[in-house]
C-alpha cells in the first residue's frame, strides 16, 4: 500500500519475508527458534523471580544481573515472535509506524545490554580492587542512578535513528528481505540519499558498544593487576573465578554482535540468508545462555535454587 505526496510515493506498510532463500526450511527453522525463545523467556523470568524473592541475592552483582535479564527478554521479544509468525504463516505486512517501533526497540535493547555489561564490569572492578568499599561505593541509590543513566543514554542515542528513517521517502520496493525491521535494512529501501543514516549507523556502535568494550577491557586490565598482587595462587584463582561468569557473558554478547556487523559490512561474498540467520541468532543466543552461565558458575545462585527446590520438596 502506498500514499501519494507532492512529488513521490511513500509506502505506509512493508512486507517482511523472513530469511530469503530458505523459505522451504522456515517451518523447520522455527522449531529451534521457538524452543530457544521459550527457554530464554522462562530462564530470564525465573532468574528475575529468584533475585526478587531471595533477600540474600539483593546485592549489586545480582541487581545488575536482573537488569541484564530484562534487557535479554526485551531484545528477544521484540523480534522473535514476529519472526516465528513469518516462519509459520508466510510473509507478513507491517505498518511503517510499527516497523519504526521495532527498529527503536531492537537497537535500544542492544545498547542497554551493552551498558549493563559495562556496569557489571565496574561492579567486578570494585569487588576485586577495592573490596572494603564495595558496599559503600555500590549503594542502592548509586545503582539506581547507573540504571537510569543506561536507559537515558540508550534512548538518546537511538531516538535519532527513528527520525532519520521517518524523513525518508519510500517509493521503490516495500519488501524487506529480513525477518524484522532494523535501521539499515529499512533505510536501503528509500529512494533518497541515506548518507546521514549510514554515518549515524556507524557512529552509534562506535560511541556506545565499542566504547563500552574499551572500558570493560580497561577494568579487566586493572582487575588482573590487582589479582596478580595477591599472595597465593589459590587466592588468585578464587578471585578470578568471581569474574568468570561476567567474562562468559561478555563473549556471548559481543562475539556474535561483532561477527554479525563485520560480515554485514565486509562479507559481500557471504550469502544474504547467512547474514539474516546470524542476525536472528544474535537475538537469541545471549538471552538463552546468560541465565545458564550465571546459574552454573555462580555459587550463590546455585545455593538459592537448591534452597527453593528443597522447600518445595518439604511442602509436598
Amino acid at each position: 500500500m502506498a500514499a501519494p505526496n507532492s512529488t513521490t510515493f511513500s509506502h505506509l506498510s512493508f512486507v517482511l519475508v523472513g530469511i530469503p532463500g530458505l523459505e522451504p526450511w522456515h517451518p523447520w527453522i522455527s522449531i529451534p527458534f521457538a524452543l530457544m525463545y521459550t527457554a530464554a523467556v522462562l530462564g530470564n523470568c525465573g532468574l528475575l523471580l529468584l533475585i526478587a524473592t531471595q533477600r540474600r541475592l539483593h546485592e549489586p552483582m545480582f541487581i545488575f544481573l536482573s537488569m541484564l535479564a530484562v534487557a535479554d527478554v526485551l531484545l528477544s521479544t521484540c523480534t522473535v515472535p514476529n519472526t516465528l509468525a513469518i516462519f509459520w504463516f508466510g510473509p507478513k505486512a507491517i505498518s511503517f509506524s510499527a516497523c519504526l517501533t521495532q527498529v527503536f526497540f531492537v537497537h535500544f535493547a542492544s545498547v542497554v545490554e551493552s551498558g549493563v555489561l559495562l556496569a557489571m564490569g565496574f561492579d567486578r572492578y570494585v569487588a576485586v580492587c577495592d573490596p572494603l568499599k564495595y558496599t559503600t561505593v555500590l549503594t542502592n541509590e548509586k545503582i539506581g542512578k547507573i540504571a537510569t543513566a543506561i536507559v537515558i543514554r540508550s534512548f538518546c542515542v537511538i531516538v535519532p535513528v527513528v527520525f532519520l528513517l521517518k524523513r525518508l521517502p519510500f517509493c521503490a520496493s516495500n519488501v524487506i528481505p529480513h525477518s524484522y525491521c532494523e535501521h539499515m535494512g529499512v533505510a536501503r529501501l528509500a529512494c533518497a540519499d541515506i548518507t546521514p543514516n549510514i554515518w549515524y549507523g556507524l557512529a552509534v556502535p562506535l560511541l556506545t558498544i565499542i566504547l563500552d568494550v574499551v572500558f570493560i577491557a580497561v577494568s579487566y586490565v586493572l582487575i588482573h593487576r590487582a589479582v596478580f598482587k595477591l599472595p597465593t595462587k589459590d587466592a588468585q584463582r578464587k578471585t578470578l573465578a568471581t569474574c568468570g561468569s561476567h567474562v562468559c557473558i561478555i563473549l556471548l554478547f559481543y562475539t556474535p554482535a561483532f561477527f554479525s556487523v563485520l560480515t554485514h559490512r565486509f562479507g559481500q561474498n557471504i550469502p544474504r540468508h547467512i547474514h539474516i540467520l546470524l542476525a536472528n541468532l544474535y537475538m537469541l543466543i545471549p538471552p538463552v545462555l546468560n541465565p545458564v552461565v550465571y546459574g552454573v558458575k555462580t555459587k550463590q545462585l546455585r545455593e538459592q535454587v537448591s534452597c527453593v527446590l528443597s522447600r518445595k520438596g518439604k511442602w509436598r
Side-chain angles (χ1 to χ4, degrees), residues 5 44 48 60 151 246 297:
N5 61 23
N44 284 287
L48 285 168
V151 172
H246 184 234
K297 296 184 72 69

Side-chain angles (χ1 to χ4, degrees), residues 113-126:
E113 185 150 351
S114 182
V116 173
L117 289 174
L118 175 59
M120 294 173 81
F122 176 68
D123 168 82
R124 292 298 85 201
Y125 164 75
V126 176

Side-chain angles (χ1 to χ4, degrees), residues 90-113:
K92 179 183 177 183
I94 183 171
S95 68
F96 184 52
S97 58
C99 190
L100 290 180
T101 302
Q102 190 175 48
V103 168
F104 172 79
F105 280 108
V106 166
H107 296 291
F108 173 79
S110 296
V111 177
V112 166
E113 185 150 351

Side-chain angles (χ1 to χ4, degrees), residues 237-293:
R237 182 183 58 79
K238 288 181 178 179
T239 304
L240 285 176
T242 64
C243 303
S245 301
H246 184 234
V247 172
C248 291
I249 298 300
I250 290 170
L251 294 175
L252 285 173
F253 179 76
Y254 289 115
T255 301
F258 284 131
F259 188 72
S260 180
V261 169
L262 289 173
T263 55
H264 190 71
R265 298 289 179 185
F266 306 109
Q268 287 81 8
N269 296 326
I270 299 175
R272 177 180 287 178
H273 63 268
I274 299 297
H275 287 285
I276 298 171
L277 190 59
L278 287 173
N280 278 282
L281 289 174
Y282 168 62
M283 298 295 164
L284 274 171
I285 291 175
V288 169
L289 295 181
N290 287 352
V292 176
V293 169

